[in-house]
Amino acid sequence: ANTFGDAHLFQPLIDAVLRGGDVYLLSVDFPSYIEAHKAVEAAYRQHDEWITKSILSVARMAKFSSDRSIQEYAEEVWNIEPAPVSGQSV
């Protein structure tokens, strides 16, 4: 019930984390992760609202381009100028 596959597959990992082996503090915010996951599940059930939120999320994202990122690093971090490539304008 409520399991997929071997329910005990990850038990050694769980035991290690619960017995002081959580050196990266993975379990510290696990309850808040579960709550956030429940909120996402509830939001997803509201199909029309989910679509609206999804579209707005994408529309509000900043443009990402690896070329732009590299250019910004070159200018702002490394303080170097681009070198023209034959056949292309920079």
Side-chain angles (χ1 to χ4, degrees), residues 37-75:
H37 199 290
K38 288 177 183 177
V40 169
E41 287 180 25
Y44 186 74
R45 288 188 198 105
Q46 304 299 319
H47 186 72
D48 291 341
E49 290 179 31
W50 180 264
I51 290 172
T52 300
K53 289 177 182 181
S54 298
I55 291 169
L56 288 174
S57 177
V58 171
R60 292 175 178 157
M61 278 195 272
K63 176 180 89 171
F64 177 78
S65 158
S66 58
D67 290 340
R68 180 186 53 80
S69 296
I70 292 168
Q71 181 177 352
E72 286 178 3
Y73 266 88
E75 293 172 356

Side-chain angles (χ1 to χ4, degrees):
N2 293 329
T3 61
F4 182 79
D6 182 1
H8 303 288
L9 180 64
F10 296 104
Q11 196 61 50
L13 176 61
I14 293 168
D15 291 343
V17 167
L18 294 178
R19 292 193 180 116
D22 190 7
V23 295
Y24 298 107
L25 303 176
L26 300 173
S27 63
V28 171
D29 66 349
F30 194 69
S32 63
Y33 167 81
I34 295 298
E35 291 305 312
H37 199 290
K38 288 177 183 177
V40 169
E41 287 180 25
Y44 186 74
R45 288 188 198 105
Q46 304 299 319
H47 186 72
D48 291 341
E49 290 179 31
W50 180 264
I51 290 172
T52 300
K53 289 177 182 181
S54 298
I55 291 169
L56 288 174
S57 177
V58 171
R60 292 175 178 157
M61 278 195 272
K63 176 180 89 171
F64 177 78
S65 158
S66 58
D67 290 340
R68 180 186 53 80
S69 296
I70 292 168
Q71 181 177 352
E72 286 178 3
Y73 266 88
E75 293 172 356
E76 298 171 15
V77 176
W78 302 320
N79 297 316
I80 58 175
E81 296 291 323
V85 176
S86 175
Q88 294 181 338
S89 62
V90 178

